[in-house]
Amino acid sequence: MNRNYNHIRAAIPALLVAFLSGCSGGSGAVNSPDVQAGAGGAAAAAPVLSVPANLSVHEGLTATFLIPTSTLSNGRTATWSIAGNDAARFRIDPATGALSFRQAPDTARPGDADGHNDYDLVVQVSDGLRTSQAPLKVLVLPWNDGGAAGLPLPVVASDVARPAGTTGQPGLRVLDWAGFKAALSYTFDDSQPSQIDHYPDLKAQRVRVTYYVNPVANWYPNYDATWKDAIAQGSEIGNHTTHHCRAAELTDNDPNTCPAGLGSAGAEFDDTGVYIRTKLGQSAVWTSAYPFGDTDYKPAAASRFLVSRGVWPGTVAPGTGSDAQNLPLAEFPADASRFDTAASQGRWMIYLFHTLLPTTQDWGGGVDIGAVAGNMAHAKSLGTVWIDSVVNVGAYWRGQQLLQAATPTTSAGTTTWRWTLPANFPSGRKLRVVVNGGTLSQDGKPLTWDRRGYYEVSLDAQALSWTQ
Ligand SMILES: [Zn+2]
C-alpha cells in the first residue's frame, strides 16, 4: 500500500460525523459566513451540509461517486454547485448534488491543478437565501493500488451508517464480490508473443489480470521481463502447463503426440510452477488453466491449485458451489450495452484472450487490443464491477464459502466462527461483511466499520467473534 492511501484510510473515521444539527464541529463542513437576512428581517438558518473531507475513488470512474446531503429550513429547496481549484473536472447535478468526473481520471495523467491525483473541490448548497460550503478532496487511486492482494474500493455515494441493531443475533452476512455488484477477470492464455508486444497497452489500464503461461514459449524476446513486470504491477501469472498438450497425450507413449511432454499432468504443472517461482519470481502459483480446457487435468490440479479455469461457457454465482477446478468462461461482449446487461447479473465473469491484434504473430482467435482496453475502461467507468485477477476473485469467492459454511459456537455471550484455509490458499486475503449490530473482533481486536458499508475480516485469522 502506498503512503497516500494509508493516510486517507486513517482519516475516514473522522468523516463519520456525518450529520450536523446546528453544530459545525467535527466534520469538514463549514457553514459560510455570508449570512443574508431572511425576508422578515430575521436570519433564517443556513443550510447544513454533510460532505466527507476526503474520498478515495479508483481511476477510470465516470459514474456518480458522491451524493452529499443537506438539511434546509422548512420549505426551502437545495441547489448544488461546486467551486475550488479542480472544479472544472467535475459535474454536479444542481438538484440532487450527484457528483461525478466529467472525464475518466487517469493517474498517469493527473488532471488536478497540482498533479498529485488529489482533486480539491468546494461543495456548495444554496437554499435560495443562503449558501453553505464544505471542502472535499477526491483522491484517485489506480485499480491495482495495494499491490497484488488489496481489495479495490466499491463506489458508495452516501456514507453507510454502522449497524447498531440489538436483535441478539449477529446476522452475519458476507458481501458478494467485495461489495461490488459483479466480478470480472481478464485471462490471457499461452504467453503469446502478441500479448508481450501489447503488454504496455494492458499495463496502462492498471487493472490486475491473469496471464496463463506455457514456458515453452519463452523463445520470444522480453518473455521473462514482461511477466516479471506484470507481477510487479499486481497481476497474476497462472499455470497453463509447460508443453500445452492434451493430458492423455502425456501418458500414451506415442512419440508422435506431445514428444517433449513430461509424462504426467502433475509433472507439467510442477515444471511450470518452478519456472513461475524461480524465473519470474512469483512467491507461489495459485491457479491454473487447462490446455484446450481439457478436464483430464483436473485430478492433478485439485491438489495443486485454489481454482482452475476451463473453457465451458458460463459465469460463477457468489458464495455457492460452482466447480472450483473447472471455472467457466464468459462471452466477451462486442458492445457496452451487452456488457452492462452481463454485469447486472451479479456474477463472476472470466474472459479468455489468445492473440491480441494487430500482430505479426497471429496464433489464432485474435481480438483487437483496442477492444480489450476499451472493455476495461468501460468496466472501470461504472464503479460497480470488481476487476481483478483469478486468484484474487477466486480467494474471495472460496473465502465467502468457508465463512458461510462455518457453524458458529456461542460461549459467555461471544459467538465465534472458525474456518480452516484450504491448501493453496493465498495469504493476506480479506472478506467484507456486515452484521445487525454489536461488535466483531479478530485476535481480540474490534474490527473497524468502513463508511462504504462493511467490516473487513482477515481470512488468515481463521476465526471471527461477535458480541452484542
Ligand atoms: Zn492454451
Side-chain angles (χ1 to χ4, degrees):
M1 268 185 210
N2 67 45
R3 196 173 295 259
N4 273 343
Y5 181 74
N6 281 333
H7 168 76
I8 295 302
R9 290 298 291 260
I12 283 172
L15 312 180
L16 290 174
V17 184
F19 285 92
L20 305 176
S21 45
C23 163
S24 62
S27 129
V30 175
N31 294 309
S32 73
D34 60 326
V35 177
Q36 299 175 13
V48 176
L49 181 58
S50 174
V51 177
N54 301 282
L55 266 185
S56 296
V57 298
H58 288 289
E59 65 185 333
L61 185 74
T62 53
T64 295
F65 62 84
L66 178 68
I67 302 177
T69 57
S70 65
T71 305
L72 306 184
S73 298
N74 278 347
R76 310 303 308 179
T77 301
T79 302
W80 296 89
S81 59
I82 44 176
N85 284 346
D86 300 314
R89 300 282 172 176
F90 297 82
R91 71 163 55 88
I92 192 164
D93 185 308
T96 66
L99 186 62
S100 57
F101 283 92
R102 289 185 182 275
Q103 291 187 330
D106 178 349
T107 55
R109 294 173 194 78
D112 54 321
D114 64 4
H116 292 160
N117 288 307
D118 53 353
Y119 294 74
D120 289 306
L121 290 175
V122 176
V123 177
Q124 304 176 137
V125 64
S126 168
D127 69 357
L129 293 174
R130 304 211 284 184
T131 299
S132 294
Q133 55 182 217
L136 168 64
K137 190 181 282 288
V138 181
L139 179 65
V140 177
L141 306 171
W143 264 82
N144 57 3
D145 182 67
L151 291 172
L153 303 172
V155 175
V156 175
S158 306
D159 285 7
V160 180
R162 180 174 185 245
T166 53
T167 61
Q169 297 296 319
L172 178 69
R173 184 167 64 86
V174 182
L175 299 189
D176 295 342
W177 313 128
F180 290 80
K181 173 72 178 166
L184 174 58
S185 294
Y186 296 84
T187 67
F188 300 84
D189 279 17
D190 313 332
S191 43
Q192 294 195 11
S194 66
Q195 296 166 11
I196 292 172
D197 291 343
H198 287 297
Y199 174 74
D201 306 298
L202 297 171
K203 178 179 178 179
Q205 294 294 326
R206 285 174 295 283
V207 295
R208 293 180 288 236
V209 305
T210 300
Y211 297 99
Y212 285 111
V213 303
N214 312 110
V216 76
N218 76 346
W219 53 270
Y220 197 70
N222 300 317
Y223 187 92
D224 287 0
T226 298
W227 310 130
K228 282 182 185 172
D229 190 73
I231 294 166
Q233 299 299 313
S235 284
E236 176 195 12
I237 306 300
N239 194 318
H240 198 38
T241 77
T242 296
H243 294 98
H244 204 288
C245 299
R246 293 182 188 280
E249 294 172 349
L250 297 167
T251 53
D252 63 5
N253 294 316
D254 180 345
N256 297 313
T257 60
C258 198
L262 298 175
S264 72
E268 285 281 331
F269 280 139
D270 291 345
D271 189 62
T272 297
V274 167
Y275 193 97
I276 293 170
R277 291 195 308 276
T278 62
K279 293 278 205 296
L280 306 182
Q282 187 169 275
S283 60
V285 185
W286 304 279
T287 81
S288 79
Y290 305 141
F292 312 104
D294 180 358
T295 52
D296 286 350
Y297 279 98
K298 253 177 82 170
S303 62
R304 288 172 172 81
F305 303 110
L306 173 73
V307 298
S308 297
R309 201 213 67 214
V311 296
W312 62 281
T315 56
V316 180
T320 59
S322 283
D323 184 350
Q325 298 301 336
N326 191 21
L327 295 174
L329 291 179
E331 185 190 358
F332 182 61
D335 61 67
S337 66
R338 283 182 53 217
F339 175 84
D340 293 356
T341 302
S344 72
Q345 306 299 310
R347 297 169 75 98
W348 180 14
M349 301 173 282
I350 304 173
Y351 296 147
L352 165 57
F353 301 97
H354 290 101
T355 298
L356 297 175
L357 302 173
T359 183
T360 56
Q361 297 279 335
D362 190 345
W363 291 14
V367 174
D368 194 273
I369 182 65
V372 180
N375 184 277
M376 290 175 170
H378 180 72
K380 287 186 286 189
S381 75
L382 304 175
T384 54
V385 180
W386 176 20
I387 309 164
D388 220 319
S389 59
V390 173
V391 61
N392 283 4
V393 180
Y396 195 95
W397 177 68
R398 290 201 64 185
Q400 179 173 5
Q401 293 170 4
L402 284 175
L403 182 50
Q404 288 179 173
T407 304
T409 57
T410 300
S411 168
T414 299
T415 300
T416 302
W417 297 260
R418 290 188 174 79
W419 60 91
T420 302
L421 291 183
N424 310 307
F425 202 97
S427 63
R429 305 307 157 122
K430 295 186 170 173
L431 293 178
R432 290 173 172 162
V433 308
V434 293
V435 283
N436 294 334
T439 300
L440 282 173
S441 44
Q442 288 191 288
D443 297 326
K445 296 189 200 80
L447 301 185
T448 306
W449 179 251
D450 188 293
R451 53 166 287 276
R452 293 176 182 81
Y454 48 77
Y455 297 95
E456 283 197 342
V457 171
S458 161
L459 283 164
D460 290 344
Q462 302 193 103
L464 173 68
S465 295
W466 176 84
T467 51
Q468 178 67 63

